[in-house]
């Protein structure tokens, strides 16, 4: 009985595509693990600074600042002074469709942080959010306060994400933060270019980054094993003895 050439070709193409996708995802997750590990190491190595102690640093130097978000930061939505708006989308890449979340709107303005010796300004508007809380776990980034705009799931049209429930997560004035970044300028109100604004303590920031690094690394290993298994399936016909 002879094999079907078209079917064999389709199987080869499917296996090749699976190997390509799993390999690319493994590489991406491995890189994400590396970045999270670097963030954890940097945060752990830096002393906690305030407005006064920033005066001894040079522009461009890595810094970690702790304080509270000033009460006169403008409110952007509800009580948020900085937030992310997530919308649902239907992920059909797996064996069955799943609802996942993606950023629809990022509102991360310049913020003022009150420290024990004065104010520090977060100058840039492209920092990442983080928080010690693990909820809601579905979101890639989150602040210490989250709110879900509940809508009837039956009324959701996947072609129109705004018709589904929406997540908002971010910061309110008065909340404790640690700011990881680099000094932009000194003066009476030092300015920092932040890479992450985190709701919690330095220890919690380090623990959160370490946890992310472990998660991404384990996921990368799993996908690397999947990729290796698929590649083995591709070359196995050439390695196994020919059938008589």
């Amino acid at each position: 009985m002879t094999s079907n050439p078209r079917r064999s070709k389709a199987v080869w193409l499917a296996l090749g595509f699976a190997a390509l996708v799993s390999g690319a995802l493994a590489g991406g997750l491995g890189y994400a693990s590396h970045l999270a590990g670097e963030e954890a190491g940097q945060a752990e190595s830096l002393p906690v600074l305030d407005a006064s102690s920033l005066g001894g640093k040079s522009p461009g130097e890595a810094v970690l600042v702790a304080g509270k978000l000033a009460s006169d930061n403008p409110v952007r939505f509800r009580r948020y002074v900085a937030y992310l708006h997530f919308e649902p989308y239907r992920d059909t890449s797996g064996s069955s469709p799943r609802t996942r979340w993606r950023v629809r709107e990022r509102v991360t303005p310049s913020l003022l942080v009150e420290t024990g010796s004065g104010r520090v300004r977060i100058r840039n508007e492209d920092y990442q959010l983080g928080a010690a809380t693990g909820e809601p776990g579905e979101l890639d980034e989150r602040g210490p306060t989250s709110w879900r705009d509940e809508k009837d799931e039956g009324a959701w049209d996947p072609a129109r994400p705004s018709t589904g429930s929406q997540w908002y997560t971010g910061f309110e004035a008065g909340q404790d933060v640690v700011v990881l970044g680099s000094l932009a300028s000194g003066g009476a109100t030092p300015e920092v270019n932040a890479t992450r604004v985190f709701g919690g303590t330095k220890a919690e920031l380090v623990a959160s980054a370490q946890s992310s690094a472990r998660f991404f690394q384990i996921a990368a290993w799993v996908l690397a094993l999947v990729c290796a298994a698929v590649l083995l399936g591709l070359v196995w016909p050439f390695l196994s003895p020919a059938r008589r």
Side-chain angles (χ1 to χ4, degrees), residues 95-182:
S95 56
S96 59
R98 294 183 59 187
T99 299
R100 296 187 183 276
W101 301 90
R102 63 190 174 199
V103 175
R104 177 178 177 180
E105 183 183 21
R106 178 180 289 273
V107 181
T108 53
S110 173
L111 294 171
L112 284 168
V113 178
E114 295 278 6
T115 73
S117 61
R119 289 184 160 195
V120 175
R121 182 183 299 278
I122 299 172
R123 187 167 75 174
N124 58 311
E125 300 183 1
D126 58 351
Y127 46 85
Q128 301 287 298
L129 302 189
T133 175
E135 298 295 337
E138 301 100 319
L139 307 184
D140 294 333
E141 290 180 71
R142 56 186 173 271
T145 303
S146 296
W147 174 66
R148 184 169 180 173
D149 178 16
E150 296 284 0
K151 296 183 181 178
D152 183 5
E153 187 68 21
W156 177 37
D157 177 4
R160 298 169 58 215
S162 61
T163 61
S165 299
Q166 310 288 298
W167 271 115
Y168 298 84
T169 183
F171 291 88
E172 300 175 8
Q175 289 181 325
D176 292 324
V177 294
V178 288
V179 181
L180 179 64
S182 60

Side-chain angles (χ1 to χ4, degrees), residues 197-227:
V197 177
F198 187 87
T201 65
K202 169 184 171 176
E204 288 168 333
L205 168 59
V206 172
S208 177
Q210 289 174 338
S211 177
S212 294
R214 287 193 297 269
F215 172 80
F216 289 136
Q217 188 61 68
I218 291 171
W221 286 339
V222 171
L223 284 169
L225 289 174
V226 170
C227 181

